[in-house]
Amino acid sequence: MDQLLHALKAARCARVVRLLLLGGSLGVAAPTAPTDAQLAEAVVRAYPDAQLRADADAVVWPDGTRTPVTRAGATSGSYTDRLNHADLRAQLRTPYPACAPLRPPAYLEDPGRARDDAFFRRLYGSSSAQVSAHLRAVNWFGQRLAFTTVNGADRALEAVARDLAAQLPQHPDWRAFLTPSAGTFLWRTVAGTPRLSAHSYGIAIDLNTRMSAYWQWDGHREGARGIPYRNRFPAGIVHTFERHGFVWGGRWYHYDTMHFEYRPELARCP
Ligand SMILES: [Zn+2]
């Protein structure tokens, strides 16, 4: 009986921990949750070139159309359902620990992995042709990589390259991580999902695959518990990207350590 009581207690504890995790990282409305207006403001501040305006519950585009911060149905269903239907609130929900020490993320902690596709399509283009119209070649350690000029993402990537180049004499081992890049722009969905990859918008760069770890290559199922974290990227490279407004896929429970993407609404070093 003691054992049974103990087991029941442990099960209750596990449920409480699970609920806390759900509340914290998956955004069941907590008392301190930011308002729609605050979240809209954060988006407006991060993308000044888009000339957006925040109102009480939406981001407003120059032509008056609105992207709501909270959309019905965005927070229901499985973890994967919620990723597939993310709204701006989901996009901003998990704080991104920019410039913090590297550590294995908690279960389902994927800051920046959720994207409101409607917002991104509006911002960068809604087809390969529309996105392509804004691309230009950026010099990445001798490679010419297509990146969007929208919101200065191309200039941010150039600044990362300059910053890293200045640090290479002290860290010659970094070069093997940085080159060759496995690519930037490609209009495609994330393998095995209906979601558009950030690469579709010309805002993401993959570094050297040989030095990288990716949860799908390791054969894991999305949302599975106990995925063992793997990473070889040094913190110095990660922090350099973060200083220029990029988030890193290595801070995701669903790790993708070659992947960096321009997300100034999230990556702000203190
Ligand atoms: Zn990538």
Side-chain angles (χ1 to χ4, degrees):
M1 181 55 94
D2 266 5
Q3 260 178 349
L4 182 64
L5 279 174
H6 185 74
L8 278 171
K9 215 161 117 187
R12 251 198 330 268
C13 277
R15 205 164 61 232
V16 169
V17 168
R18 216 160 38 238
L19 284 172
L20 283 173
L21 276 174
L22 280 169
S25 66
L26 294 177
V28 174
T32 54
T35 64
D36 282 356
Q38 287 170 327
L39 294 177
E41 273 298 340
V43 172
V44 168
R45 269 199 310 274
Y47 296 99
D49 291 359
Q51 300 187 305
L52 306 169
R53 185 168 62 74
D55 75 7
D57 57 4
V59 165
V60 186
W61 298 84
D63 68 359
T65 54
R66 299 149 49 83
T67 301
V69 172
T70 303
R71 237 184 4 246
T75 53
S76 55
S78 68
Y79 168 79
T80 298
D81 290 338
R82 293 195 297 279
L83 267 187
N84 290 348
H85 302 109
D87 53 13
L88 286 175
R89 176 168 289 278
Q91 183 175 316
L92 291 161
R93 180 151 45 218
T94 310
Y96 183 88
C99 291
L102 306 191
R103 60 166 173 79
Y107 176 55
L108 299 187
E109 182 185 3
D110 287 326
R113 194 161 176 250
R115 295 178 209 90
D116 180 341
D117 267 348
F119 176 77
F120 277 78
R121 282 171 178 264
R122 186 74 201 267
L123 202 52
Y124 294 113
S126 182
S127 66
S128 180
Q130 282 181 12
V131 174
S132 296
H134 301 293
L135 299 177
R136 97 169 162 83
V138 169
N139 180 359
W140 183 260
F141 299 91
Q143 272 178 284
R144 289 170 64 76
L145 300 178
F147 227 66
T148 187
T149 57
V150 175
N151 293 302
D154 58 329
R155 294 194 303 274
L157 185 63
E158 280 172 334
V160 171
R162 272 198 307 273
D163 201 338
L164 287 167
Q167 298 175 75
L168 272 181
Q170 286 79 50
H171 303 282
D173 56 308
W174 287 6
R175 188 173 286 278
F177 290 90
L178 303 176
T179 63
S181 157
T184 50
F185 169 67
L186 188 61
W187 184 267
R188 65 168 170 87
T189 52
V190 178
T193 79
R195 301 188 296 273
L196 272 180
S197 154
H199 290 278
S200 304
Y201 303 116
I203 58 169
I205 177 171
D206 287 338
L207 299 186
N208 188 351
T209 52
R210 210 167 47 78
M211 308 298 274
S212 304
Y214 180 42
W215 66 280
Q216 292 221 35
W217 291 345
D218 291 338
H220 300 297
R221 199 169 42 80
E222 186 165 79
R225 285 186 184 278
I227 296 178
Y229 180 71
R230 295 208 297 127
N231 170 51
R232 292 160 69 189
F233 273 73
I237 291 178
V238 174
H239 292 162
T240 303
F241 271 95
E242 290 174 344
R243 281 199 299 275
H244 295 284
F246 285 76
V247 299
W248 176 49
R251 292 208 189 268
W252 299 342
Y253 175 73
H254 296 87
Y255 55 85
D256 182 358
T257 68
M258 78 195 92
H259 179 93
F260 292 86
E261 94 185 49
Y262 185 62
R263 297 290 295 283
E265 80 278 25
L266 289 172
R268 285 191 308 274
C269 296

